[in-house]
Amino acid sequence: MKKAISTALAGAALVAGASVAQAADEVKLQLQWVTQAQFAGYYVALDQGFYEAEDLDVTILPGGPDIAPPQVLAGGGADVMLNWMPSALSARENGLPLVNIAQPFKSSGLMLTCWKDTGITSPEDFRGKTIGVWFFGNEFPFLSWMSQVGIPTEGGEDGITVLKQGFNVDPLIQRQADCVSTMTYNEYWQVIDAGVSPDELVTFKYEDQGVATLEDGIWALEDDLADPAFADKMVRFVRASMKGWKWAEENPDAAAEIVLDNDATGAQTEEHQKRMMGEIAKLTAGSNGALDVADYERTVATLLAGGSDPVISMAPEGAWTSAITDEALK
């Protein structure tokens, strides 16, 4: 795969030379969720002219609860998407040839947030409890974790009752669940903003449990990457996007303001987005956009360690390439 994409890039100069005086190259990016600071780097790159400087006309497509980025990409609705690696690798094993071309997020923000008064102090205490879990591909890290520690997820005194959680924290607040899925930069703070004290909670970060998987990678289709012109667009897109991310890390409040300016719904608040951007900067810190092979292998190992029902059944072949970032980071 890397050789094929490198060959494509080698021919890109001819394409670029032939495109002088033509309109900027269009790129449609499908986000994994709604407009928020989780995607600040891309909005910053658009706002600060980093995409324009790379001769790109980028359209950022917000996501939502009814939008599955892999399906959008497969249907031709976007050129490139953001996705958690468990979801993307599962889709690849099921026939959609997704390839990770860059990894702006170095760390995972996923965790479980539980009521302390339930007596939960360790994962072993999850037995007999109800836990809210996001689905649509987001359930894979949780299911893999529980499989590794030997806790059934079909209910019962010895297992966990999995509550299919919406993208909010209502099940926890309303005591329908003992724990819910949260992100360090978003839903955890929704719990706090609901009037709950941090002292009333106990959290379990996937990073601390040794089962963290990579999040918010940049993915494209294998066949598209074989086209020299497309591969060249992706080099420029990744280079500009990473400039946006580093700018956002250095200017978190200004980056949050840019996100707010691009929120067509008006649903986000300044306080929440600035707080979110501060937390997001911790997750992108340490990444220049290139995929760390050790992080990738850890993710694959976690997904394979699923007992009788692993997220993926075999180690993927060709699921990532360094060819795009190798060129973009020169």
Side-chain angles (χ1 to χ4, degrees):
M1 169 54 63
K2 180 178 177 181
K3 181 178 179 181
I5 297 174
S6 297
T7 301
L9 290 171
L14 295 176
V15 176
S19 63
V20 175
Q22 292 184 0
D25 293 320
E26 294 184 358
V27 175
K28 291 183 179 179
L29 167 66
Q30 177 63 60
L31 302 184
Q32 191 163 343
W33 192 238
V34 298
T35 300
Q36 59 182 20
Q38 178 183 358
F39 313 113
Y42 310 102
Y43 286 111
V44 166
L46 189 63
D47 181 86
Q48 296 295 302
F50 299 152
Y51 290 136
E52 184 179 5
E54 294 285 355
D55 197 29
L56 295 174
D57 177 11
V58 175
T59 300
I60 301 176
L61 305 172
D66 299 321
I67 297 174
Q71 292 179 9
V72 175
L73 201 63
D79 301 293
V80 63
M81 70 168 188
L82 306 181
N83 211 218
W84 285 8
M85 187 166 282
S87 173
L89 293 185
S90 176
R92 182 178 176 87
E93 185 165 291
N94 283 289
L96 185 62
L98 297 173
V99 179
N100 179 294
I101 61 171
Q103 188 61 45
F105 276 48
K106 174 68 175 174
S107 305
S108 166
L110 182 61
M111 62 182 183
L112 290 180
T113 295
C114 310
W115 286 114
K116 185 179 291 185
D117 62 16
T118 60
I120 294 173
T121 60
S122 73
E124 187 62 25
D125 298 323
F126 293 159
R127 296 181 187 275
K129 301 297 194 295
T130 297
I131 296 181
V133 178
W134 294 316
F135 277 72
F136 302 104
N138 300 305
E139 73 273 22
F140 296 139
F142 173 78
L143 296 177
S144 182
W145 177 19
M146 292 304 100
S147 180
Q148 288 185 55
V149 296
I151 301 179
T153 55
E154 294 82 28
E157 292 184 3
D158 192 51
I160 292 168
T161 298
V162 174
L163 185 152
K164 191 172 182 179
Q165 181 183 338
F167 292 94
N168 56 55
V169 295
D170 292 349
L172 189 76
I173 302 301
Q174 298 169 6
R175 293 281 182 165
Q176 297 169 345
D178 302 293
C179 309
V180 293
S181 299
T182 60
M183 303 302 292
T184 57
Y185 52 81
N186 195 357
E187 290 80 13
Y188 172 79
W189 296 102
Q190 292 177 20
V191 177
I192 301 303
D193 288 344
V196 178
S197 167
D199 293 337
E200 298 178 81
L201 303 169
V202 59
T203 59
F204 298 88
K205 293 183 179 180
Y206 282 56
E207 285 278 359
D208 296 339
Q209 300 298 318
V211 292
T213 53
L214 288 170
E215 299 164 2
D216 290 66
I218 302 177
W219 299 78
L221 292 174
E222 193 170 308
D223 289 347
D224 290 341
L225 290 166
D227 173 29
F230 183 86
D232 175 63
K233 281 199 303 184
M234 291 300 100
V235 168
R236 290 179 281 139
F237 173 76
V238 168
R239 182 161 52 221
S241 296
M242 290 312 302
K243 287 181 181 177
W245 273 119
K246 295 307 141 181
W247 192 98
E249 286 179 21
E250 296 170 2
N251 305 276
D253 285 352
E257 292 287 355
I258 290 171
V259 170
L260 288 167
D261 289 343
N262 284 276
D263 176 25
T265 68
Q268 307 291 358
T269 67
E270 181 177 350
E271 178 185 11
H272 185 53
Q273 290 308 300
K274 287 185 175 180
R275 186 168 57 189
M276 184 185 293
M277 186 60 235
E279 293 296 325
I280 287 292
K282 299 175 185 177
L283 305 183
T284 58
S287 173
N288 62 1
L291 176 67
D292 185 312
V293 177
D295 291 343
Y296 169 80
E297 292 177 345
R298 179 199 68 205
T299 294
V300 170
T302 296
L303 299 179
L304 285 170
S308 61
D309 189 25
V311 175
I312 53 177
S313 62
M314 64 186 72
E317 293 289 340
W320 67 278
T321 178
S322 65
I324 300 298
T325 50
D326 284 350
E327 190 71 19
L329 297 173
K330 282 184 178 178

